[in-house]
Amino acid sequence: NDPFVFSNESPWGKYTPKQKKALYAKHVKLFAKTWSNNERQVKTLNKFCKVYVNGFAGAKELREKLMLANSTDELLKLLT
C-alpha cells in the first residue's frame, strides 16, 4: 500500500522508517483533531497501521503495540 497512490511519482518506496512513522503520527494527529470529542474510536486507525509501519526491522513488533493502544496519545508516544 502507498499513501501517495494518486501522485504522479510516489516517494513512498524511498521513505525511511523514521519518515514512515512521522507520516503515521501526522495521520494520528489529524484524526485526533477531526474527532476531538471522541466521535470515533482510536481503534479506527488500526486499519491504517500496516500501511505506515511496514517493511523495516521491528515493524511487526511496533504494529503489535500500536494495535493495543487505547488513545491517540498512546499512539503518538509509541511513534516517537
Side-chain angles (χ1 to χ4, degrees):
N1 293 334
D2 182 348
F4 299 96
V5 70
F6 296 110
S7 297
N8 288 335
E9 291 186 34
S10 173
W12 191 240
K14 297 175 187 164
Y15 264 44
T16 65
K18 184 176 181 178
Q19 289 173 306
K20 289 179 178 186
K21 290 186 278 185
L23 189 57
Y24 189 36
K26 181 178 180 179
H27 188 145
V28 171
K29 288 175 187 173
L30 288 170
F31 177 90
K33 183 178 178 183
T34 302
W35 307 110
S36 59
N37 294 319
N38 297 319
E39 299 93 337
R40 295 255 173 126
Q41 293 182 1
V42 73
K43 297 294 181 189
T44 303
L45 291 168
N46 285 352
K47 63 184 167 186
F48 302 106
C49 188
K50 192 168 184 180
V51 171
Y52 297 101
V53 184
N54 188 354
F56 57 87
K60 180 184 177 211
E61 293 78 10
L62 178 56
R63 272 196 319 272
E64 289 171 353
K65 291 177 186 175
L66 291 166
M67 298 286 254
L68 295 174
N70 291 310
S71 71
T72 54
D73 288 339
E74 280 184 65
L75 287 170
L76 293 171
K77 185 176 179 179
L78 288 165
L79 289 167
T80 53

